Amino acid sequence: MKETTVLGIKLSVTTKEELLSLVKTCIQQNGKLAFVAINARKVMRAREEQEMARLLETFDVFLADGASVIRSSGVKMERITGVDLMETLCAHGEELGLRLFLYGSTKEHNEQARRALQQRFPSPQIVGGCDGYQDADVIEQINGSSANIVFVAKGTPAQERWIAAHKQEVRANVFLGVGGALDIWSGALRRAPQWIQRLGLEWLFRMVLEPRRFVQLPQLIRFQRLVWKEKRKRQVREHGITEERN
């Protein structure tokens, strides 16, 4: 799988079709595969916090979650959020032989999300679920359910910490951090309309719905400044090389 970087943080250049094939092979070979969604805020956290940088290094696939990181990469690629990949996997669950475990959110939202997913998709085999708060025996629950894929909805960095710490002792094969996906499927959280997603403004939509998120703005501004500086440095280097050759 091809990779690129944004401010030194990896991004996988891939498609949903390629990821479906990767998941299928992983399960058939009884391997381990961990996905992490990368957006501008996560890039900045990895640059500013050693723990986040170390956590990201333990993952295998780096989903291009945010429109801003795709634009900043300068590489044409498909935007794949954790929510999008979760839905794609549910839609192909039967052909891939997926046994799903939903881990995270509140007990009520977890159960509501499970019912909604079962109604929306033909035959997702959801073999278990556990909220993200009363989770002392979650590993035993997952192993007892025979799940081969775990959707972890605990928010960043809690879901990344949990996957990195426990993916080897959990007998499931595939791990995907999905943030607020279970809250969205439960109906407790509204996702941005498709036209807003296409414009790359889903982050602004979330901020309007959840004003507490406006504290993230300085971090997003720093991201854009750093990207601009990197772009200028690259242009200067390339211009210098061109002058030397001439």
Side-chain angles (χ1 to χ4, degrees):
M1 182 181 299
K2 294 180 180 178
E3 287 185 349
T4 186
T5 61
V6 172
L7 299 179
I9 306 305
K10 295 178 184 176
L11 279 183
S12 299
V13 183
T14 186
T15 64
K16 291 190 184 77
E17 289 73 21
E18 186 177 3
L19 296 180
L20 288 173
S21 177
L22 193 64
V23 167
K24 183 177 182 179
T25 300
C26 176
I27 290 172
Q28 288 176 340
Q29 297 179 354
N30 195 29
K32 294 282 183 179
L33 189 61
F35 294 86
V36 62
I38 302 295
N39 55 28
R41 187 162 180 257
K42 204 168 289 184
V43 168
M44 291 306 297
R45 290 191 71 157
R47 286 179 62 89
E48 296 170 356
E49 302 171 18
Q50 289 187 356
E51 181 202 17
M52 179 57 74
R54 288 195 297 266
L55 284 175
L56 292 185
E57 286 300 316
T58 68
F59 284 79
D60 306 297
V61 180
F62 306 85
L63 304 176
D65 179 284
S68 59
V69 295
I70 293 176
R71 287 194 298 268
S72 302
S73 73
V75 177
K76 185 177 180 180
M77 70 180 81
E78 183 177 349
R79 182 185 177 219
I80 306 174
T81 70
V83 179
D84 292 334
L85 183 55
M86 175 183 175
E87 294 177 6
T88 299
L89 290 169
C90 287
H92 294 81
E94 186 174 16
E95 64 187 83
L96 295 176
L98 300 185
R99 298 185 299 276
L100 314 175
F101 193 98
L102 310 181
Y103 172 38
S105 191
T106 65
K107 182 178 180 180
E108 180 183 9
H109 292 169
N110 191 292
E111 292 173 351
Q112 290 172 343
R114 177 174 180 166
R115 289 195 295 269
L117 288 166
Q118 288 173 328
Q119 290 173 3
R120 170 65 178 81
F121 297 105
S123 55
Q125 192 177 355
I126 303 177
V127 295
C130 176
D131 69 72
Y133 302 95
Q134 303 297 325
D135 54 4
D137 63 344
V138 65
I139 294 173
E140 290 77 9
Q141 289 188 52
I142 297 171
N143 288 343
S145 73
S146 297
N148 53 23
I149 181 165
V150 183
F151 296 128
V152 186
K154 290 173 69 70
T156 294
Q159 62 195 24
E160 286 81 16
R161 283 193 193 118
W162 190 89
I163 293 171
H166 301 296
K167 64 182 178 181
Q168 295 303 327
E169 60 185 307
V170 174
R171 290 198 287 268
N173 305 106
V174 180
F175 302 82
L176 171 62
V178 295
L182 299 186
D183 291 329
I184 291 172
W185 274 99
S186 74
L189 183 65
R190 183 185 171 197
R191 194 177 184 191
Q194 285 291 333
W195 67 271
I196 291 180
Q197 294 181 44
R198 285 193 293 270
L199 290 173
L201 296 174
E202 192 168 6
W203 61 273
L204 182 58
F205 183 86
R206 290 289 298 275
M207 283 186 177
V208 171
L209 288 184
E210 303 173 74
R212 61 183 175 81
R213 288 179 174 268
F214 276 99
V215 299
Q216 300 172 8
L217 269 178
Q219 198 172 43
L220 299 178
I221 292 170
R222 290 200 303 276
F223 171 81
Q224 292 298 341
R225 285 177 175 170
L226 284 172
V227 167
W228 183 82
K229 286 181 180 179
E230 287 292 319
K231 185 177 180 180
R232 289 292 300 161
K233 287 179 182 178
R234 189 162 58 248
Q235 288 173 339
V236 169
R237 286 197 300 268
E238 291 173 354
H239 183 66
I241 291 172
T242 301
E243 286 188 339
E244 286 179 10
R245 287 176 177 173
N246 291 339

